[in-house]
Amino acid sequence: MADNARAKRLADLIREVVAQKLQRGIKDPRLGSHVTITDTRVTGDLREATVFYTVYGDDEERAAAAAGLESAKGVLRSEVGRAAQVKFTPSLTFVADALPDTAKTIEDLLDRARQSDQQVRDAATGASYAAGADPYRKPADDEDDTDGDAAE
């Protein structure tokens, strides 16, 4: 079992090598400049690596990029083996990163909250208090009540 620092260094190296190879070395048109490697994680035994990627485009381009990455897996693994110079080159698994979808969901929720806040602000504009301007009792009011009770 390797230490976490070694696994982290190997994951960083894999991310860099795969990104550079996709940018310069792979001639597959499905893997154009719209594929971005976002993160890489390596298991503790350094035998498997998960590469997270995003694709800017529609669902067809995402499916094409996934197929292109799957077909280029062997080339990318051999390039990682050359760069890493480890006894066993980790197998690569490509996973579409959910980060853009999650960010879009959060943005949609924030927009809904802003609209709700604006509706509350609009409803509050020009509204008046139900029990007058200040419905709370003050200490001065209490003194007036006690003076009135003693006089009676």
Side-chain angles (χ1 to χ4, degrees), residues 42-85:
V42 178
T43 58
D45 60 358
L46 305 179
R47 298 226 173 222
E48 296 177 17
T50 305
V51 180
F52 295 92
Y53 67 94
T54 58
V55 179
Y56 297 106
D58 57 0
D59 290 336
E60 286 181 19
E61 289 176 347
R62 289 184 186 126
L69 286 169
E70 201 61 35
S71 69
K73 186 184 290 190
V75 174
L76 293 171
R77 184 175 181 211
S78 59
E79 190 68 27
V80 166
R82 266 191 232 112
Q85 296 179 354

Side-chain angles (χ1 to χ4, degrees), residues 36 38-39 49-54 69-70 92-98:
T36 304
T38 56
D39 193 18
T50 305
V51 180
F52 295 92
Y53 67 94
T54 58
L69 286 169
E70 201 61 35
L92 301 177
T93 305
F94 292 96
V95 176
D97 198 352

Side-chain angles (χ1 to χ4, degrees), residues 12-148:
D12 290 343
L13 178 71
I14 290 171
R15 186 182 71 240
E16 291 174 15
V17 168
V18 169
Q20 288 176 357
K21 190 69 175 174
L22 286 176
Q23 186 178 22
R24 296 189 190 125
I26 305 280
K27 300 298 182 195
D28 193 341
R30 300 174 290 187
L31 301 174
S33 61
H34 56 276
V35 175
T36 304
I37 304 299
T38 56
D39 193 18
T40 305
R41 294 187 186 147
V42 178
T43 58
D45 60 358
L46 305 179
R47 298 226 173 222
E48 296 177 17
T50 305
V51 180
F52 295 92
Y53 67 94
T54 58
V55 179
Y56 297 106
D58 57 0
D59 290 336
E60 286 181 19
E61 289 176 347
R62 289 184 186 126
L69 286 169
E70 201 61 35
S71 69
K73 186 184 290 190
V75 174
L76 293 171
R77 184 175 181 211
S78 59
E79 190 68 27
V80 166
R82 266 191 232 112
Q85 296 179 354
V86 291
K87 183 176 183 180
F88 181 81
T89 303
S91 61
L92 301 177
T93 305
F94 292 96
V95 176
D97 198 352
L99 184 68
D101 296 333
T102 304
K104 184 178 180 335
T105 302
I106 290 172
E107 284 297 322
D108 292 343
L109 290 173
L110 288 173
D111 286 341
R112 284 183 27 205
R114 284 186 201 103
Q115 290 172 357
S116 176
D117 288 348
Q118 187 60 40
Q119 289 174 352
V120 169
R121 271 191 236 101
D122 292 343
T125 303
S128 62
Y129 294 104
D134 191 8
Y136 300 105
R137 296 183 81 178
K138 296 184 177 96
D141 294 339
D142 292 339
E143 291 174 8
D144 293 339
D145 290 343
T146 57
D147 291 339

